[in-house]
C-alpha cells in the first residue's frame, strides 16, 4: 500500500484539495451536503462554474469530488446527470475560457458608492484589485498573513499558481488616502470582528467558513450589475485584469506590474490586458 500514495503527482493532489474545498464551500452556501453529495448537486455545481472555467478544469473538479468520496468509503456520486452536464458544457464551450472584462478604478468608485455594498465586499473588491490577486490567493488570505504599517500593509501569500513549492511572497499595498483605499476598507472589515480580534480567513462565506473562489466572481458580477455594467462579461478575473489594464494605461513598466501580479513573463502578463494605449 505504500506506493498507492504516489499514484498521483503532488501538484494534482494539491489541485484536488483546492477543488474539494471549493465544492464544500459551495455546498455550504447552497445548504446541501458535500459528503456524500448527489449526482444532481454536482451537476448544479458545474452549471454555476461553466461560464468561468475550461472544460478540462471542470473535469478535474469532478474527478476530485469522486476521489474524496471513494477515499471516505462512499460510492462515487458522479452519475449520468453529471456526465451529461459535462458533455453539454464541452459541446457548448469546447476548451475555451471566456476572457472577462476588466473592472477599472472608475467602476470600483461607483460600486463603493452603493448603499447596498457590504463592508466585506468592499474590502474584497478593493484589496483584490490593488493586489492584482488571483481568486485562490484572495480567498486564501488569513488575518495572520497581514502585517499592518503606517504606510499600508504587507500580505504574505504562502502559495500561488506559480509557486507550487510554497516559497511564498510578500505583497505591499499602500494607503491611498481616498475613498478607494484598500487598506482603509480592510481595516473597516477587520473592525467588525469585535474586541477579540480576527482570526483565520479574511473573507467568509456561509456558516462563517472561508469564501470559495467562485463566489468572488459572483460578488464582482453582482456589483457590476448594480452599476449598470453588462455583468455577464465580468467575473473573478476582472479584478486582476482591471489592475493590469489600468497599470498599462498609466504607463507602468511590465517589470513593475509583474512585481505586483507575480507573473513570470511579459507574454503571460499581456493576456490580462483588455485595452491598450494607442
Amino acid at each position: 500500500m505504500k506506493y498507492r500514495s504516489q499514484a498521483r503527482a503532488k501538484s494534482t493532489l494539491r489541485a484536488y484539495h483546492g477543488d474539494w474545498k471549493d465544492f464544500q464551500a459551495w455546498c455550504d452556501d447552497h445548504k446541501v451536503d458535500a459528503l456524500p453529495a448527489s449526482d444532481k448537486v454536482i451537476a448544479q455545481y458545474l452549471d454555476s462554474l461553466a461560464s468561468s472555467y475550461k472544460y478540462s478544469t471542470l473535469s478535474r473538479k469532478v474527478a476530485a469530488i469522486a476521489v474524496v468520496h471513494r477515499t471516505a468509503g462512499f460510492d462515487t456520486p458522479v452519475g449520468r446527470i453529471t456526465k451529461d452536464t459535462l458533455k453539454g458544457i464541452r459541446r457548448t464551450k469546447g476548451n475555451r475560457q471566456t476572457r472577462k472584462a476588466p473592472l477599472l478604478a472608475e467602476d470600483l468608485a461607483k460600486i463603493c458608492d452603493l448603499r447596498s455594498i457590504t463592508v466585506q465586499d468592499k474590502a474584497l473588491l478593493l484589496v483584490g484589485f490593488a493586489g492584482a490577486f488571483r481568486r485562490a490567493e484572495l480567498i486564501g488570505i488569513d488575518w495572520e498573513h497581514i502585517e499592518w504599517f503606517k504606510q499600508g500593509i504587507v500580505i504574505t501569500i504562502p502559495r500561488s499558481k506559480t509557486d507550487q513549492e510554497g516559497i511564498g511572497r510578500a505583497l505591499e499595498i499602500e494607503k491611498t488616502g481616498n475613498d478607494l483605499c484598500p487598506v482603509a476598507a480592510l481595516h473597516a472589515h477587520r473592525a467588525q470582528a469585535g474586541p477579540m480580534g480576527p482570526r483565520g480567513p479574511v473573507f467568509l462565506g456561509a456558516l462563517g467558513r472561508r469564501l470559495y473562489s467562485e463566489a468572488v466572481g459572483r460578488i464582482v458580477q453582482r456589483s457590476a450589475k448594480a452599476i449598470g455594467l453588462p455583468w455577464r462579461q465580468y467575473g473573478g478575473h476582472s479584478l486582476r485584469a482591471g489592475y493590469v489594464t489600468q497599470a498599462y494605461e498609466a504607463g507602468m513598466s511590465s517589470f513593475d506590474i509583474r512585481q505586483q501580479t507575480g507573473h513570470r513573463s511579459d507574454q503571460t502578463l499581456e493576456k490580462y490586458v483588455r485595452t491598450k494605449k494607442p
Side-chain angles (χ1 to χ4, degrees), residues 21-277:
K21 290 296 183 183
D22 273 350
F23 179 63
Q24 277 187 311
W26 184 90
C27 288
D28 287 342
D29 197 44
H30 291 78
K31 297 179 173 59
V32 294
D33 292 331
L35 190 70
S38 70
D39 190 20
K40 183 178 180 181
V41 163
I42 299 173
Q44 291 171 339
Y45 176 61
L46 293 176
D47 278 337
S48 74
L49 307 185
S51 64
S52 301
Y53 286 89
K54 297 178 182 178
Y55 169 82
S56 58
T57 302
L58 297 176
S59 295
R60 189 198 67 215
K61 289 179 178 291
V62 170
I65 294 169
V67 166
V68 171
H69 276 74
R70 288 196 297 268
T71 303
F74 294 102
D75 292 334
T76 177
V78 179
R80 180 51 53 194
I81 301 175
T82 295
K83 291 176 181 177
D84 285 347
T85 300
L86 274 175
K87 286 181 180 178
I89 292 171
R90 185 173 190 175
R91 184 170 296 168
T92 302
K93 291 187 57 179
N95 269 327
R96 292 182 303 169
Q97 185 176 12
T98 303
R99 296 179 69 191
K100 296 301 183 182
L103 201 66
L104 303 175
E106 61 188 76
D107 304 319
L108 287 170
K110 294 176 183 177
I111 290 169
C112 290
D113 279 341
L114 295 171
R115 291 185 178 181
S116 59
I117 190 170
T118 67
V119 173
Q120 173 170 285
D121 283 0
K122 182 176 180 179
L124 181 143
L125 293 171
L126 293 179
V127 171
F129 177 88
F133 287 110
R134 297 177 177 91
R135 287 169 299 182
E137 294 171 347
L138 184 58
I139 60 132
I141 299 172
D142 290 344
W143 289 110
E144 292 82 358
H145 297 158
I146 304 172
E147 294 182 87
W148 301 80
F149 299 96
K150 183 177 181 179
Q151 299 83 1
I153 57 176
V154 174
I155 300 178
T156 299
I157 306 171
R159 189 187 300 277
S160 68
K161 183 179 179 180
T162 55
D163 176 30
Q164 292 300 320
E165 298 303 317
I167 297 173
R169 68 184 181 98
L171 192 150
E172 297 180 4
I173 298 179
E174 296 183 353
K175 293 179 179 178
T176 63
N178 57 28
D179 292 340
L180 298 182
C181 179
V183 179
L186 192 61
H187 188 274
H189 178 41
R190 182 192 191 194
Q192 290 189 328
M196 296 301 292
R199 297 288 186 274
V202 171
F203 302 113
L204 301 176
L207 305 179
R209 296 184 180 179
R210 187 184 303 276
L211 200 68
Y212 62 100
S213 62
E214 286 74 25
V216 176
R218 293 189 177 194
I219 292 169
V220 170
Q221 288 186 332
R222 182 173 66 238
S223 302
K225 185 177 182 179
I227 62 170
L229 293 175
W231 61 274
R232 288 185 178 87
Q233 297 178 19
Y234 293 80
H237 279 95
S238 294
L239 296 172
R240 188 166 167 84
Y243 174 89
V244 174
T245 300
Q246 196 108 33
Y248 260 102
E249 293 181 340
M252 283 181 64
S253 70
S254 59
F255 176 82
D256 287 337
I257 298 173
R258 285 194 286 109
Q259 296 308 297
Q260 191 76 356
T261 64
H263 283 108
R264 290 180 174 177
S265 70
D266 288 351
Q267 183 179 10
T268 305
L269 177 68
E270 287 174 359
K271 294 178 182 179
Y272 281 82
V273 182
R274 301 300 188 251
T275 59
K276 293 185 178 181
K277 293 175 71 176

